[in-house]
Amino acid sequence: MLGPLRAWRGETPLDLGPAKRQAVLAALLLRHGAVVSHERLLDGVWGADPPATGHKVLASHVNPLRRALDTAGTRPAESVILSGKGWYRCAADHVRLDVADLAERGDEALRTKASGDLPTAARRLSAALTLFQGEPLANLPGPFAQAERQRLLERRRTLRLARLECLVLLGRFGDALDDLASLPESDQFDESLMALRMRALYSCERQAEALKAYEDLRVRLRDELGVDPGEELSRIHDAVLRQDNAYLLGPAGGPATAPDRSRLRPAVNQLPGDTGQLVGREEELALLTAPCEPDSVSVVAVDGPAGVGKTALVVRTAQHIRDRYPDGCLFVDLHAHSTARQKLSPQRVLRRLLRSIGADDREVPNDLDELMTHWRTATSSLRLLLVLDDALGTAQIQPLLPSGPGSSVIVVSRQRLPALDADRRVTLDTLGTGNATRLLRHIVGPERTDQEPEATRELVRMCDGLPLALRIAGTRLQTRPAWTLAYLVERMTGDAHRLGELSAGDRSVEAAFRLSYDQLSPTQQQGFRTLGLAPTVEFDVWTPAAMLGWSPQDAELVLESLVDTSLLQQSRPGRYRMHDLVRVHARRLAEAAPAETGAVRRAALRLYLDAARIASVWGSGAFPNGPQPAGSPFTQWRDATLWLDSAGAELVDVVGHAAAFGEADHACWIAEALTGHFLGRGRFHECQAALEIALTQADRATDRRMDLSLRNALGLTLMHRARFPEALTCLNQALALSREREDGREEARALVGLGTMAGLGTAGASTERGRQGASWLASGLELAQQCDDHWLAAMASFGLGLVHYAQGREEEALACFRAAFVPSMILGHPRAINRALTSTLDLYIYLDRPGTQTLLRQVAGLIQETGDVTLHTLTLTRLGTAEHSAGNLRAAAAAYQQALSQHRTLAPGGDPDHDRSEMDLRCRLGRSSYAAGQITEARDQFRTALAIPGADRYPREHAQAVEGLSRTERPEQ
């Protein structure tokens, strides 16, 4: 690496291929065995200009590298380059790198220099520098190679400067001048090198040359950079003018009496030992070890929750960069989150720091302002690295900042410290599943984890990627070899046991969280406890506001303050979440006060219930029981719908949360009210899951209507999923029970559901079964009108219209569709109105009514606003059909393309017709393209339709695609 990239197996040189391939290899090797995702590898080698083939190009480089690096017959699992789904990594144990030799030799040489053994240090520094064979990673392209090249060049400069200092201090001025004469032109502005050159020239009785060299550099700095020489070089210049032998010659020139002789003492190093494996922190480590501004004091802030590994990362960082700070590395634990140790005042810390750099205790004042002045004066000429661990706030840190240009301060805190002027900030989060598994395997041993892969995955999940939790769990398994991973997982099952098991000796996850909690204000503590009872993992301000009875503004202030304490994460603007273990801790704190727990939980569930009922297309009349929306932040169906959309897949979890904590009524009410929302978005699988959870609670609910309503809703959902036998069972049960209880509303729902299935079933609308379906729909319509259930009346009219349409009775169908308008308009919900409109316009297409396309375009726009993706897709398909019939082939293709885009947003798992619908759309698009003379486009659509998995399950669409493909290929035959 320390020159043009080269490799050998034993003594045999290997062909590494072109520069891009070498850059890929370097990007893998220099990660030191870490997993590298395809995306990171592409970014590191191709940067902002990725290849058109995406990550597929990586295999074209990795496979030849394997052939070059591996011996013949090497199995994939034993290759130098390992791979998995979406990643590569190099087996670090199989490769020896010259950069590793450089790190070892360089660190040893610098430690020797710091100890004062200058002759040995000079020899070892010379040996380390001989490893460089030119510019590191010469001519390798890409941002990663460039960054590593700069890092290695900086390392070479550090070692070279240290060697020159040794030569000057040993009086080997001629050797120093020889080395300085061979420096590259890129170092012409390096003032540290110029200072050594001036000292060496002066010591060789070449005072005039030393002064001229200074003047030349001063002019270059002024003309090209617009700056003057720094303080250190100016002092050297003054000493040359004064012929100050003591200052310039040091031990070689006689007794050292100048004040700055203190710089020649061994540099202090207070850094803790770097123990344990650091996993999954490569990006953060690279950011923290990047060079800082040389002319100012740089401040880097590292924050994150308790147990996430902040101190381990910072210690590793400090060990990597300590050679940049010749005057020492200082470490102070401020004990902000410690019960065993007293928190340190700034005065106490400053006295300790001053003693660390050699100040006499008798000269150190007691007043804070005087101490700060003394500290800044003492550090003004020093280049220090100061690590402040476990800090609480900016007021604790500000007095401790040194003043020497080129010094760096790394602040570690659980707080975000927004008031601290930091040059860089690194927020540490928990480990992803892959890195968490790597850490656990390292601690426990691969022979145990690989024997229990399922238990390993579950233990990693239970530890939530928190390094402290993983280390404690791993330690427990280390010290209990008879335990299996599955046994520990079993012990950790349930909130009551999970945190209790994550304790070993004086280390405890819960204790670490508790220390963070104890630092909060009473209002923050109340907010934190309450969030543990939230029914979803992710939430916005409305949930805690409803739970606590606060305004959204007050809730947001507390949420943002908890983000600053690292107890809460902001997943995206306006959305918050807790890590799993933190949420368990918050819930345990909340449940310690059971009197307030039930009311807080019900307030959150009430928020979801109100939103679901306000958003529902069924209308408020469809929910005769349970609390009606009152005081909800959502006054319009659109606001409630958007809020429910933001919850995503967690809406089912809300129903599960209510069921788990004994809120049977809320579980049933919410599942019932969400049915229309789920079905309108094609989320049939989620709808079924929510209803099935709720049905298990129906017997416990005080609202005795719920088992009927939930069965009807489940029957409707199963009908959408084309699971007709199960739907028929649900609806028949609901019908029988509703008649037994004389519940006309639920009887009407069951009749409409049964009538829809029978009237439009596979047997056809003209059969006896179809006529029975029409009769059920008519009965359901009459009952719905008696109950003032406008949504159900509209659906019954809609179903009757479809039956009449299937029977060829177009005018009666139109009458039914128009009849559906009346209750739809009373409901006032665009989704109900649009369904009646689209059904009418579907018939208009068949009857070739003028203006149909214009009306369809208007309706499509209205439906898009409601977010009903399924109906929007169907309407666009109808629009394409109408445009095609009218000869507007380009407009037809555009409508089909838009319908396909909408269709792709639907979850395929929930809709049994998902693939059939896509085949139908592509066949329609293919026919329009063919009619427009776009043969290639048409052929592609038909081929894509046939390539859909299981395409032969849909005979009608499959035949259309085969026939269309045959037609497009005829001109080429």
Side-chain angles (χ1 to χ4, degrees):
M1 302 288 180
L2 302 175
L5 189 64
R6 292 184 293 168
W8 296 262
R9 186 187 301 109
E11 301 294 327
T12 306
L14 304 177
D15 181 7
L16 301 179
K20 269 284 196 292
R21 189 170 300 158
Q22 294 180 30
V24 170
L25 178 60
L28 290 171
L29 288 172
L30 290 173
R31 263 30 183 268
H32 306 293
V35 169
V36 187
S37 69
H38 290 166
E39 290 73 20
R40 288 183 65 192
L41 204 50
L42 286 170
D43 290 344
V45 177
W46 281 268
D49 186 25
T53 55
H55 64 80
K56 294 180 181 178
V57 75
L58 294 175
S60 69
H61 290 298
V62 170
N63 290 335
L65 285 172
R66 282 171 168 160
R67 288 193 293 270
L69 299 172
D70 296 336
T71 56
T74 299
R75 294 181 297 176
E78 298 170 350
S79 175
V80 171
I81 302 179
L82 304 173
S83 61
K85 187 174 182 180
W87 58 266
Y88 292 102
R89 77 176 180 89
C90 274
D93 293 339
H94 296 177
V95 180
R96 178 182 172 186
L97 302 178
D98 57 359
V99 289
D101 292 346
L102 177 70
E104 180 180 348
R105 294 189 194 182
D107 287 349
E108 181 185 31
L110 291 171
R111 285 194 296 269
T112 304
K113 178 176 178 288
S115 72
D117 185 357
L118 297 181
T120 304
R123 288 195 303 272
R124 290 177 174 172
L125 287 164
S126 297
L129 286 166
T130 59
L131 292 171
F132 286 91
Q133 302 295 312
E135 183 185 64
L137 304 172
N139 301 318
L140 290 197
F144 180 87
Q146 178 60 24
E148 286 296 308
R149 188 179 298 117
Q150 290 302 117
R151 181 182 68 82
L152 293 169
L153 287 172
E154 176 63 21
R155 178 69 165 172
R156 181 169 69 177
R157 178 191 175 278
T158 299
L159 297 175
R160 180 175 279 162
L161 188 61
R163 179 177 179 276
L164 288 167
E165 286 178 349
C166 288
L167 294 178
V168 170
L169 292 172
L170 289 168
R172 295 168 55 184
F173 306 116
D175 293 340
L177 286 174
D178 288 342
D179 277 9
L180 287 163
S182 63
L183 290 177
E185 190 173 334
S186 59
D187 290 329
Q188 61 179 324
F189 294 106
D190 193 315
E191 294 187 37
S192 297
L193 292 173
M194 178 57 72
L196 288 169
R197 184 173 180 225
M198 290 178 66
R199 290 174 67 181
L201 287 168
Y202 176 84
S203 302
C204 294
E205 300 182 350
R206 296 159 65 180
Q207 180 184 12
E209 286 185 53
L211 293 173
K212 184 178 185 307
Y214 173 87
E215 183 61 18
D216 290 343
L217 178 59
R218 188 188 67 79
V219 171
R220 284 199 302 273
L221 290 171
R222 183 197 63 196
D223 293 347
E224 298 188 36
L225 302 180
V227 297
D228 292 322
E231 185 177 344
E232 180 187 6
L233 190 59
S234 297
R235 285 201 302 266
I236 294 290
H237 177 250
D238 291 341
V240 172
L241 288 172
R242 296 194 312 269
Q243 298 185 6
D244 188 345
N245 291 339
Y247 180 77
L248 293 168
L249 305 184
T257 57
D260 277 60
R261 288 291 298 126
S262 61
R263 292 179 60 92
L264 300 179
R265 64 174 174 79
V268 62
N269 180 12
Q270 298 177 344
L271 296 176
D274 184 8
T275 60
Q277 187 180 36
L278 193 67
V279 173
R281 302 303 189 194
E282 292 81 10
E283 290 185 6
E284 293 88 350
L285 188 63
L287 182 62
L288 291 173
T289 56
C292 298
E293 288 294 327
D295 298 326
S296 62
V297 177
S298 64
V299 178
V300 178
V302 178
D303 62 78
V308 81
K310 301 181 294 297
T311 301
L313 172 64
V314 166
V315 169
R316 177 69 57 85
T317 298
Q319 296 286 10
H320 274 223
I321 63 175
R322 67 180 186 178
D323 56 294
R324 301 177 192 169
Y325 303 93
D327 296 302
C329 301
L330 310 179
F331 184 94
V332 181
D333 186 346
L334 296 172
H335 305 308
H337 299 85
S338 174
T339 55
R341 305 284 295 277
Q342 183 181 6
K343 296 176 180 61
L344 298 178
S345 66
Q347 291 96 321
R348 187 176 173 187
V349 176
L350 282 170
R351 294 178 69 87
R352 179 187 297 180
L353 290 172
L354 284 164
R355 286 196 300 271
S356 296
I357 62 171
D360 191 333
D361 255 341
R362 294 169 295 182
E363 300 176 0
V364 175
N366 293 316
D367 178 75
L368 177 58
D369 288 337
E370 291 184 11
L371 272 168
M372 289 166 57
T373 302
H374 199 81
W375 168 245
R376 289 167 184 165
T377 301
T379 58
S380 62
S381 61
L382 302 180
R383 212 160 80 213
L384 294 167
L385 173 62
L386 173 61
V387 178
L388 300 174
D389 192 23
D390 197 15
L392 184 61
T394 305
Q396 188 185 28
I397 298 162
Q398 207 68 43
L400 311 180
L401 301 180
S403 61
S407 293
S408 291
V409 181
I410 304 178
V411 180
V412 184
S413 178
R414 299 184 189 184
Q415 312 279 340
R416 287 282 173 90
L417 304 177
L420 180 67
D421 290 328
D423 301 284
R424 270 176 265 169
R425 293 183 183 272
V426 173
T427 295
L428 219 55
D429 206 346
T430 53
L431 297 173
T433 302
N435 285 319
T437 304
R438 282 177 56 209
L439 179 58
L440 189 64
R441 289 181 83 246
H442 171 75
I443 299 169
V444 180
E447 62 281 352
R448 292 177 73 181
T449 55
D450 292 351
Q451 284 180 0
E452 299 182 81
E454 290 295 330
T456 298
R457 282 192 288 271
E458 182 61 15
L459 184 56
V460 165
R461 186 195 67 77
M462 285 182 151
C463 292
D464 198 28
L466 189 72
L468 176 62
L470 291 162
R471 290 189 181 280
I472 290 174
T475 299
R476 301 202 74 190
L477 290 166
Q478 275 183 339
T479 56
R480 292 162 176 81
W483 282 17
T484 63
L485 277 79
Y487 177 68
L488 180 56
V489 166
E490 183 181 353
R491 290 176 64 96
M492 290 175 62
T493 301
D495 288 358
H497 303 99
R498 189 165 171 189
L499 289 176
E501 289 295 323
L502 292 175
S503 175
D506 60 352
R507 293 197 300 178
S508 164
V509 171
E510 187 161 29
F513 291 161
R514 185 69 197 220
L515 289 170
S516 293
Y517 175 78
D518 289 341
Q519 297 287 348
L520 302 177
S521 70
T523 301
Q524 288 175 315
Q525 289 182 344
Q526 183 185 11
F528 177 74
R529 293 194 306 270
T530 300
L531 293 175
L533 303 175
T536 58
V537 173
E538 192 175 280
F539 45 83
D540 63 4
V541 296
W542 293 112
T543 302
M547 296 168 80
L548 290 161
W550 292 349
S551 70
Q553 293 77 18
D554 289 342
E556 185 177 31
L557 286 174
V558 172
L559 290 174
E560 289 294 329
S561 70
L562 289 173
V563 170
D564 286 338
T565 65
S566 298
L567 287 170
L568 194 63
Q569 280 69 46
Q570 193 165 33
S571 50
R572 59 184 188 271
R575 302 290 295 180
Y576 304 85
R577 70 185 306 275
M578 279 181 168
H579 285 304
D580 199 20
L581 288 174
V582 177
R583 189 168 63 256
V584 171
H585 178 59
R587 190 156 55 234
R588 282 163 63 90
L589 289 171
E591 288 170 348
E596 64 182 46
T597 300
V600 166
R601 273 206 177 98
R602 282 189 292 276
L605 296 173
R606 175 67 186 275
L607 178 69
Y608 280 90
L609 175 61
D610 288 352
R613 287 185 168 181
I614 291 169
S616 176
V617 69
W618 295 358
S620 58
F623 308 106
N625 297 15
Q628 297 302 312
S632 170
F634 315 112
T635 56
Q636 301 293 327
W637 69 267
R638 192 185 307 277
D639 297 331
T641 299
L642 290 174
W643 187 76
L644 291 172
D645 282 336
S646 69
E650 289 197 87
L651 287 176
V652 178
D653 295 336
V654 176
V655 179
H657 181 86
F661 291 99
E663 298 291 342
D665 282 308
H666 277 95
C668 296
W669 290 332
I670 293 170
E672 175 196 40
L674 284 173
T675 300
H677 178 80
F678 280 135
L679 296 183
R681 275 148 177 71
R683 293 160 63 179
F684 307 138
H685 179 77
E686 292 172 66
C687 190
Q688 180 180 343
L691 290 167
E692 287 176 343
I693 293 170
L695 267 171
T696 65
Q697 304 297 306
D699 291 341
R700 301 185 183 92
T702 60
D703 187 348
R704 305 313 303 163
R705 181 184 64 87
M706 292 319 302
D707 62 335
L708 294 176
S709 176
L710 293 171
R711 288 181 197 280
N712 273 323
L714 183 57
L716 179 64
T717 304
L718 291 167
M719 195 191 315
H720 276 82
R721 297 195 69 189
R723 295 170 65 169
F724 298 116
E726 297 169 68
L728 189 63
T729 300
C730 279
L731 292 170
N732 276 324
Q733 289 173 344
L735 181 62
L737 286 170
S738 61
R739 285 174 171 170
E740 180 183 320
R741 299 181 192 177
E742 298 181 350
D743 189 326
R745 186 187 304 274
E746 296 305 328
E747 181 183 354
R749 288 188 182 182
L751 285 168
V752 171
L754 288 168
T756 301
M757 276 202 300
L760 302 177
T762 56
S766 62
T767 64
E768 180 61 34
R769 184 71 174 161
R771 285 189 289 276
Q772 176 65 65
S775 174
W776 278 335
L777 284 165
S779 299
L781 173 59
E782 184 179 353
L783 281 172
Q785 290 170 337
Q786 291 174 9
C787 297
D788 289 329
D789 192 327
H790 303 297
W791 174 81
L792 191 59
M795 291 304 101
S797 297
F798 168 70
L800 270 173
L802 290 177
V803 172
H804 291 326
Y805 180 27
Q807 293 171 338
R809 297 155 62 182
E810 290 87 1
E811 291 304 322
E812 291 176 67
L814 271 177
C816 287
F817 293 152
R818 288 168 179 157
F821 271 112
V822 177
S824 298
M825 292 301 293
I826 294 172
L827 281 172
H829 198 298
R831 278 177 55 201
I833 298 169
N834 289 334
R835 183 170 288 277
L837 278 172
T838 52
S839 300
T840 303
L841 291 174
D842 199 21
L843 191 52
Y844 275 19
I845 295 171
Y846 177 77
L847 298 174
D848 198 20
R849 294 286 179 91
T852 303
Q853 301 98 293
T854 302
L855 290 171
L856 279 168
R857 276 193 291 273
Q858 293 172 348
V859 172
L862 293 172
I863 295 173
Q864 188 173 18
E865 292 181 15
T866 69
D868 191 331
V869 181
T870 304
L871 189 57
H872 189 212
T873 304
L874 290 172
T875 305
L876 289 168
T877 305
R878 289 166 176 149
L879 174 59
T881 302
E883 296 285 13
H884 187 111
S885 299
N888 303 324
L889 300 177
R890 180 174 296 180
Y896 290 139
Q897 288 282 14
Q898 191 178 356
L900 269 173
S901 297
Q902 288 291 295
H903 184 74
R904 291 190 198 103
T905 66
L906 293 168
D911 182 4
D913 280 340
H914 186 274
D915 291 339
R916 186 203 62 76
S917 298
E918 183 178 348
M919 289 184 70
D920 175 66
L921 271 170
R922 292 195 179 279
C923 287
R924 290 173 185 269
L925 179 56
R927 289 194 293 270
S928 291
S929 300
Y930 181 82
Q934 298 173 341
I935 308 302
T936 302
E937 169 65 19
R939 185 186 304 120
D940 289 345
Q941 293 302 329
F942 291 129
R943 283 177 175 168
T944 305
L946 290 171
I948 290 173
D952 53 357
R953 289 179 301 171
Y954 311 106
R956 178 174 171 271
E957 289 74 19
H958 188 272
Q960 290 175 351
V962 169
E963 193 278 332
L965 183 60
S966 174
R967 187 183 306 166
T968 60
E969 290 178 340
R970 284 172 195 156
E972 298 177 2
Q973 294 176 350

